[in-house]
Amino acid sequence: MAKSEYQKRLEEANKQINNLGNFSYNDSSGLKAAYSKAYDEYLSRVNNPENYGYNSNISDVNSLFDKVMNQERFSYDPKTDKLFQLYKQQYMNQGNNAMKNQMALGAALSGGYNSSAAQSAAKKAYQNQMNMLADKASEAYQNSLDMYRYNQQNNLDKFNTALNMNSLGNDAYFRQTDALGNKMNSAYNAYNDERNYQLNSYNSNRSYYQNQGESAQDQINWLKEYELQKKLYKG
């Protein structure tokens, strides 16, 4: 049996998704390599200050530097976010109460019977609460991200303060170190921007083909159902 146009579309979409595979950063521009080099140069200077004309104890600076450089990447899981879980429980309770109230009102207006209109209104009341919960999910995510950035900046501020306190008599060392730090930050920003661009492009392509596949599958399912209904009608 010849394949339908929708089957071909589905196979092509799946093929393209498989071709995409998992995201892998392409460093053809050398931005990651440049960042790694700048990072190593900066780290070498901070960890071995005596090799660069620095003659004071910077063990505290090293410890703070490790906190800054080794901070885990931001990740968010609503299941472990206490704020979101509080919102979730609150709005689910409100949704259930709203649904029950609508059902009770509908029963009262229809003489004690649950009508389809009452059920629809109850579902709508519950969904309204879930929509508000979705807004709170964004709020909880942003709150978590803000806290992460605050801690990140706090560690960086502590590091900079310690670094400045150790700068007496070592101005040349610190000027050069700051220059390398700025170079490292610029290299990281360039690399991070490029990586995000590639990741967004990857996600966009993957979403496109997933939507193509889902659309084709929907059509295939509809045609199967249509043919089944025709057989049933003829029978």
Side-chain angles (χ1 to χ4, degrees):
M1 180 182 294
K3 294 181 180 179
S4 70
E5 179 64 26
Y6 297 116
Q7 287 174 320
K8 293 178 181 178
R9 291 182 185 179
L10 177 59
E11 290 178 359
E12 177 63 21
N14 289 333
K15 176 183 176 182
Q16 293 299 332
I17 291 174
N18 289 333
N19 288 340
L20 286 174
N22 295 325
F23 172 73
S24 177
Y25 173 71
N26 180 5
D27 193 33
S28 59
S29 58
L31 293 177
K32 183 179 181 180
Y35 164 64
S36 296
K37 180 180 179 181
Y39 172 82
D40 290 341
E41 290 176 350
Y42 185 64
L43 193 63
S44 176
R45 176 172 288 272
V46 172
N47 285 341
N48 304 284
E50 65 282 355
N51 295 337
Y52 301 92
Y54 187 75
N55 58 9
S56 183
N57 186 351
I58 60 169
S59 59
D60 291 341
V61 176
N62 286 339
S63 177
L64 291 168
F65 178 78
D66 287 341
K67 287 185 178 180
V68 172
M69 298 307 299
N70 296 324
Q71 184 172 1
E72 294 182 358
R73 289 183 177 275
F74 174 74
S75 62
Y76 179 76
D77 184 357
K79 294 180 181 178
T80 59
D81 184 358
K82 294 182 179 179
L83 177 61
F84 176 75
Q85 290 303 315
L86 287 174
Y87 284 144
K88 181 179 178 181
Q89 189 61 50
Q90 175 187 348
Y91 282 94
M92 287 186 70
N93 289 339
Q94 291 176 181
N96 288 329
N97 290 335
M99 186 166 57
K100 290 177 182 177
N101 291 339
Q102 285 294 332
M103 291 296 291
L105 178 60
L109 294 175
S110 61
Y113 295 98
N114 288 327
S115 65
S116 59
Q119 292 176 355
S120 177
K123 290 180 181 179
K124 183 176 181 180
Y126 182 83
Q127 187 59 46
N128 286 339
Q129 293 298 319
M130 294 303 98
N131 291 340
M132 286 189 281
L133 175 60
D135 293 336
K136 287 297 182 181
S138 298
E139 179 182 320
Y141 172 88
Q142 188 61 48
N143 181 74
S144 180
L145 179 59
D146 289 343
M147 183 58 67
Y148 172 86
R149 287 173 174 169
Y150 170 80
N151 290 331
Q152 186 180 50
Q153 186 62 49
N154 188 45
N155 287 334
L156 184 60
D157 290 342
K158 288 180 178 179
F159 166 71
N160 287 330
T161 298
L163 197 63
N164 291 332
M165 290 178 65
N166 281 275
S167 66
L168 297 177
N170 297 282
D171 290 343
Y173 167 81
F174 282 110
R175 283 197 300 272
Q176 293 168 0
T177 301
D178 287 344
L180 284 177
N182 291 333
K183 178 182 177 181
M184 178 186 67
N185 289 334
S186 296
Y188 173 76
N189 289 335
Y191 154 64
N192 194 49
D193 288 345
E194 173 65 17
R195 186 182 185 281
N196 286 337
Y197 173 80
Q198 291 186 23
L199 180 59
N200 290 336
S201 178
Y202 168 85
N203 288 334
S204 178
N205 288 334
R206 189 174 182 85
S207 294
Y208 171 79
Y209 289 119
Q210 284 178 334
N211 290 336
Q212 289 289 308
E214 290 171 0
S215 178
Q217 185 64 62
D218 287 342
Q219 290 297 326
I220 292 171
N221 293 341
W222 183 87
L223 288 172
K224 287 181 179 178
E225 180 65 22
Y226 175 73
E227 293 298 326
L228 178 61
Q229 292 299 325
K230 282 173 58 178
K231 291 180 180 178
L232 293 174
Y233 178 76
K234 291 179 179 180

